[in-house]
Each structure stands twice: as C-alpha cells, then as structure tokens.
Amino acid sequence: MRLEIKDLHVFYGKIEAIKGISVVVNPGEIVTLIGANGAGKTTTLKTISGLRPVASGSITFDGQDISKMPAHDRVALGISQAPEGRGIFPGMSVLENLEIGKYFRKDRKHEMKEDLEKVYHLFPRLKERAFQAGGTLSGGEQQMLAIGRALMARPKVLLLDEPSMGLAPMMIANIFKIITEINTELGTTILLVEQNAQQALQRAHRAYVLETGHVVKEAKASDLLNDPDVRAAYLGTGAGAH
Amino acid sequence: MNFSVLTSQFWSLMLSGISLGLIYVLIALGYTMVYGVLRLINFANSEIFMVGTFAVVFAETGLTGNALDSEPLKGIQLILTLGLAMLIAMAASGFTAVMVEILAYRRLRARGSNRLASLISAIGMSIALSEAASVLTHARPQSNPRLLEKTSLGEIAGANFRVDTVLVLVAAIVMFLLLDRFVNKTRVGIAIRAVSMSEENAKLMGVNLNRVISVTFLVGGIMTGAAAFLFMTVYETTKFNVGFSLGLAAFTAAVLGGIGNLRGAFWGGITLGILETMSAAVLGSQWKAVTVFVVLVLVLLVRPNGLFGEAVQQARA
Ligand SMILES: Nc1ncnc2c1ncn2[C@@H]1O[C@H](COP(=O)(O)OP(=O)(O)O)[C@@H](O)[C@H]1O
Ligand SMILES: [Mg+2]
C-alpha cells in the first residue's frame, strides 16, 4: 500500500506544471504536501487519481505501476480523493452523495449500512442532514461530506486537497482533528495537501515542500515546523518576521 | 386566419397537440440526455429517429409478410406484432446512437478536442446518416402496413380518442416515467446524474465515464426509437429527411423546457405540440414550421435556460 511517485512530469498543454517530483507515502503515514498557490499541489493529486495524464515518470501503488490506469480503476484499487473545492454533487442529497462514494462496488448493499454508520460516527452532522441537498450545506459540512464520501470507498490511501480552505477557525480545528482520527482509528494512509502549513505540519508525520512544480524540501513534519526557511515562507513567523 | 376554431374545436386541437407533443417529448429526451452528460447537442439525433422509422417499416413489413392481404391482425397477435416492432425500432435507434458516439465523439473526447470539433462532427454524422438513407431508399418515401385500424374509442368534449392517439398517450407517458425512474433510482442512472454535474468528480467516485456515456446514448436512442414507432403508427410514412423537421421541433422542445432537464423536455414537448397544432389550425398548416422556428428564436432570446431553467443535475427523486 505504499504510494510512490518517481520523477513525475505533468503538463497543461505546453505548460509544465509538475517538473519531475518524487514523493513517497508509506502505509499508515500522514504525509503533507505544502506550498504556495500555483505550486502544483492540486495537479499532483489529480494525476495520482488519474484525472491528468502522466507525461513522464511513474506512479506505483503497492508495487503496481498505475500511471496509465483509468481513473475509475484507481478508486477500486484503494485511492480516494476529497478534491479541492469539495466536489459535492449539489442536486443530490447528502445520503446520495455518500452512496455514490461506493459506486464502484457491485456488492455495495451489504457494506453500505456499516460504512454509513462509520461516516456518521465521524461526522454526526451528516446524519442530521442526510436528506438535505448537498448544495445547501455550509462550507464545513460540505468538507465533511467530501471526506465522508471518499471514506465510503474504504480507501487504503486518502488524498485530501486543502480541506481547510475557506473554513472558520473552529471548523478548521475540527477537520484536522478528524483527519488524525481517520489515520489512527481507521488506519487510513493520508496524503494531505494544504496551504495551512502550521496545522498540516502539526498533524503529519512527514512533509514535502512544493515550489513551482519542484520538491524543494523533504523532511519530518516536526523538523519543518522549526525550519527557518519554511517558517519565513509558509508560517509567517520566520527570522525575517522577528 | 380563423380564430373561431380555437373555441369551436379547442379540446380536439388540444388532444392532437398533446399527442404530437408527446412524440416530440421522446425525441427531445434523446437530445437532453446527451446534452446533460456531454454538454453537446447531438445533431445526429434526428437521424437516429430516422433510422427508427425505417426499422418500423422493415419490422412491420417483415413480420406481417403477405398476411395483410388476407386478414388484419387481431388481439394478442396484433399486440405482439406492434410490441415487437416497437422493440426493434428502439433497438435500431439505440444501437445507432451508441455507434454515433463511438465513431463521432469518443476519439475527439479522448484527444481533449474542444466542443466546436464535436459539434461539427455531430453535424457531419447527421448528414452522413441521412445521405446514406437517401441512397439506400432512392430518396423515395417508405410506408409501413397499417396494423392498427384507427377506430374511434369515444369522444370527450369533441375530442376524438382514436386507438392510435391513445396508444401514443399511454406509450409515451410510460416511457417517460420509466426513464425518470431509471435516472433517479438506479445505480447507472445516479452515475449519469453525477457525470452531468461534474465529469471529474464522477470519475473520482469510480464512475467509468465511457460506459456511462454509452449508456446515456443508448437510453436516449431508445427513447427516440420509441418516438419513431409511435410516429409511424400515426403517420405511416417516412423518408430519409424525416428527421429534419421532427428533430428540429424536438430540439426546440428540449430548449423550451431547459435542455439537460428531463421534466423540462416533457413540458417543453407538450407545449410545443399544442402551440404548433393550434397555430396550424388558425393560420394554415403551412405555418407549422414557422411556429417552431419562432418559438426557438424567442426562447433563445428571452429565456435561454428554457421555461424551467433547471438542468438535469437538479432533477430530484
Ligand atoms: N486547467 C489548467 N489549465 C492550465 N493551467 C493550469 C490548470 N490548472 C492549473 N494550472 C497551472 O498549473 C500550475 C499548478 O496549479 P495547481 O496544481 O492548481 O497548484 P496548487 O494546487 O498548488 O495551487 C499553476 O501554474 C496553474 O496556473
Ligand atoms: Mg490547489
């Protein structure tokens, strides 16, 4: 269940967005990918999920090269994503949104109830709102729904793209707490993309810093919290700020 | 101009309008389903209808053979023959729709071409199919045998309920309800709705996009094929270019109701059917096509989202 990205290059037309990055996510880890807007974080996650084609390099999962695998097969393999902007289906109810998270499983009826309970246990709010249209939820609730929906697929690796974006501080704390819970209680491996570097580094085991399509740093998350360059660039409390 | 018919024959005109409108509804569903998932106007849908009408001619001629010369079909035999002809029309149109998608759109999509390329491909497909039919039939009209005697079942408020009119009403409404249920309740139907809201997010749910698109074309084609069967049962003649006017009217109906929206196609089709029938009665039937065009232009100018302004993704169970 090790996810390994080697020398990955990704383009939008002629523009190279990812310029040869290598990232490893080991089983059981929370790994975070931090970086400024436009660094290539979302593109990296989209490519792992199969929404963008790999120009060169490789993505392997559990030793299997998945670089050319269609997106829907990667979900079945155990890679789920809660995308940037949440990607809720607005006209579907909360329950339908959760159910479709299990779409690829043909025998899903058996597991459905059990997994719904699991998600409702993590996010009791979703149970209260089960029959409300997804589009009418608040930003925080939509984020819960996006994460819950991804969990319905029983992923081995969960990709989270800026789960804290646009949320109130209380809600941010809550979401990060649950991310840790998912990792420790469900044993789900997590690749977390964030601009909120402070929180991400506190929650993650290891971290990569992305700048304009390159990995410029790779270290234990706790070390990066104390790294002067990182503090200056991403935590707003570096040497220059004193 | 003859406005007095609007009062003297109101219910009779309403009935004709609704039954014509229901045929538009089924064809409009073909346009609307495809638009919902691909944001593409499948101009070849009018030819998918045309293929269905020819399938009816072949099926009904083939199934009855020379039996018609002796005695008209009755009872269970009649119902089975009509049912089989309808299935064959739906299969022919459904198959054509799936092939159109694979031949004309799938490669363009895989290459990430823009929408204009697909639109041109759609028009090309439409021309190719109708020209092929023209060559194969020597551009001559084709008729199907009259299996169903058009007897009257009774009159209500001056509206004459003929057997074929009732068949259109019942069959079209049943087909519509089946589709509505399919889209809202089944696993694939839910995937179709998901794709119509966001292709990317649907893929993240493990939805096999190409398969869902194929199913969408198939289902839209089946609806269009059902329309072809009903059309042939009422009008009994077709030609290689039959799809042109019918397709335009159905497309107008879809736009009128809000393209991409199933219930919009339903009300749009019925509204257009009534408008067209009433205007033909008042102005003369040569004005039918003009009515359709005027409605299309007005809707595009005044309410481009259609009367119901809600897309398929908002359709609720
Ligand atoms: N759809 C797109 N078309 C063209 N360029 C894009 C597209 N999406 C992202 N990019 C470019 O790719 C780079 C990386 O973007 P992205 O992965 O979204 O960064 P991040 O998630 O780190 O903010 C940026 O320069 C961005 O402008
Ligand atoms: Mg991003």
Side-chain angles (χ1 to χ4, degrees), chain B residues 291-313:
Chain B
T291 314
V292 172
F293 266 114
V294 169
V295 170
L296 180 58
V297 171
L298 280 181
V299 174
L300 289 176
L301 284 177
V302 182
R303 281 201 69 131
N305 289 333
L307 296 180
F308 300 92
E310 189 194 45
V312 72
Q313 59 262 36

Side-chain angles (χ1 to χ4, degrees), chain A residues 109-143:
Chain A
K109 280 264 147 54
H110 307 291
E111 299 173 347
M112 187 67 82
K113 240 186 117 185
E114 193 184 326
D115 288 351
L116 278 175
E117 280 315 312
K118 196 170 67 187
V119 170
Y120 287 154
H121 177 72
L122 279 172
F123 304 108
R125 193 82 65 88
L126 294 182
K127 190 169 189 175
E128 294 163 25
R129 303 249 190 272
F131 299 103
Q132 206 170 307
T136 64
L137 300 186
S138 73
E141 289 165 347
Q142 288 198 3
Q143 189 58 59

Side-chain angles (χ1 to χ4, degrees), chain A residues 98-114:
Chain A
L98 290 173
E99 282 174 349
I100 202 175
K102 239 185 171 25
Y103 176 80
F104 69 92
R105 278 192 194 270
K106 298 266 182 332
D107 61 341
R108 64 211 221 291
K109 280 264 147 54
H110 307 291
E111 299 173 347
M112 187 67 82
K113 240 186 117 185
E114 193 184 326

Side-chain angles (χ1 to χ4, degrees), chain B:
Chain B
M1 273 195 234
N2 177 6
F3 283 103
S4 65
V5 294
L6 284 187
T7 46
S8 64
Q9 297 176 25
F10 182 78
W11 290 108
S12 169
L13 290 173
M14 279 296 276
L15 181 62
S16 322
I18 290 171
S19 80
L20 173 66
L22 282 169
I23 291 176
Y24 291 163
V25 169
L26 294 180
I27 311 172
L29 291 171
Y31 286 102
T32 253
M33 291 286 294
V34 168
Y35 185 86
V37 297
L38 288 184
R39 301 290 182 273
L40 165 77
I41 293 160
N42 179 16
F43 278 109
N45 198 50
S46 45
E47 278 58 48
I48 289 166
F49 173 80
M50 177 272 292
V51 168
T53 63
F54 282 112
V56 173
V57 174
F58 290 126
E60 292 188 348
T61 315
L63 287 169
T64 52
N66 294 326
L68 266 255
D69 301 339
S70 44
E71 216 171 292
L73 295 173
K74 284 223 170 58
I76 195 83
Q77 213 184 354
L78 174 64
I79 293 172
L80 283 180
T81 310
L82 286 174
L84 197 54
M86 183 171 177
L87 282 179
I88 290 171
M90 295 193 298
S93 290
F95 174 76
T96 309
V98 171
M99 290 315 288
V100 163
E101 192 272 318
I102 290 173
L103 294 175
Y105 308 137
R106 183 161 293 189
R107 282 153 189 273
L108 290 175
R109 208 167 58 240
R111 261 196 260 146
S113 308
N114 64 18
R115 236 158 245 159
L116 192 59
S118 294
L119 209 61
I120 292 166
S121 188
I123 294 169
M125 212 59 205
S126 165
I127 295 171
L129 281 169
S130 99
E131 287 304 311
S134 163
V135 171
L136 289 172
T137 62
H138 310 288
R140 279 200 289 267
Q142 308 286 315
S143 294
N144 52 332
R146 175 175 294 190
L147 301 181
L148 196 61
E149 283 310 318
K150 300 186 170 176
T151 44
S152 173
L153 294 175
E155 238 187 61
I156 301 173
N160 181 12
F161 283 79
R162 276 185 355 209
V163 112
D164 55 323
T165 316
V166 173
L167 177 68
V168 171
L169 296 184
V170 173
I173 289 173
V174 167
M175 290 303 289
F176 177 80
L177 292 176
L178 283 176
L179 179 68
D180 195 62
R181 236 190 119 67
F182 171 76
V183 168
N184 281 305
K185 293 278 190 278
T186 66
R187 178 167 175 268
V188 185
I190 290 171
I192 289 175
R193 283 167 64 208
V195 171
S196 78
M197 290 179 231
S198 162
E199 204 178 289
E200 271 203 349
N201 291 326
K203 281 188 189 172
L204 286 182
M205 299 303 112
V207 170
N208 181 339
L209 190 64
N210 278 340
R211 186 178 300 163
V212 165
I213 289 172
S214 282
V215 172
T216 305
F217 273 81
L218 177 66
V219 169
I222 285 174
M223 291 294 142
T224 305
F229 168 76
L230 296 176
F231 173 84
M232 291 306 284
T233 305
V234 177
Y235 299 97
E236 301 177 332
T237 182
T238 181
K239 221 179 149 184
F240 71 96
N241 60 1
V242 68
F244 181 75
S245 56
L246 269 278
L248 182 73
F251 173 67
T252 303
V255 172
L256 178 62
I259 193 158
N261 175 346
L262 298 190
R263 287 164 204 195
F266 187 83
W267 295 115
I270 288 182
T271 309
L272 188 71
I274 294 172
L275 280 176
E276 193 184 309
T277 308
M278 298 260 175
S279 70
V282 172
L283 304 168
S285 64
Q286 69 274 24
W287 290 90
K288 266 184 166 179
V290 179
T291 314
V292 172
F293 266 114
V294 169
V295 170
L296 180 58
V297 171
L298 280 181
V299 174
L300 289 176
L301 284 177
V302 182
R303 281 201 69 131
N305 289 333
L307 296 180
F308 300 92
E310 189 194 45
V312 72
Q313 59 262 36
Q314 264 95 42
R316 303 280 304 125

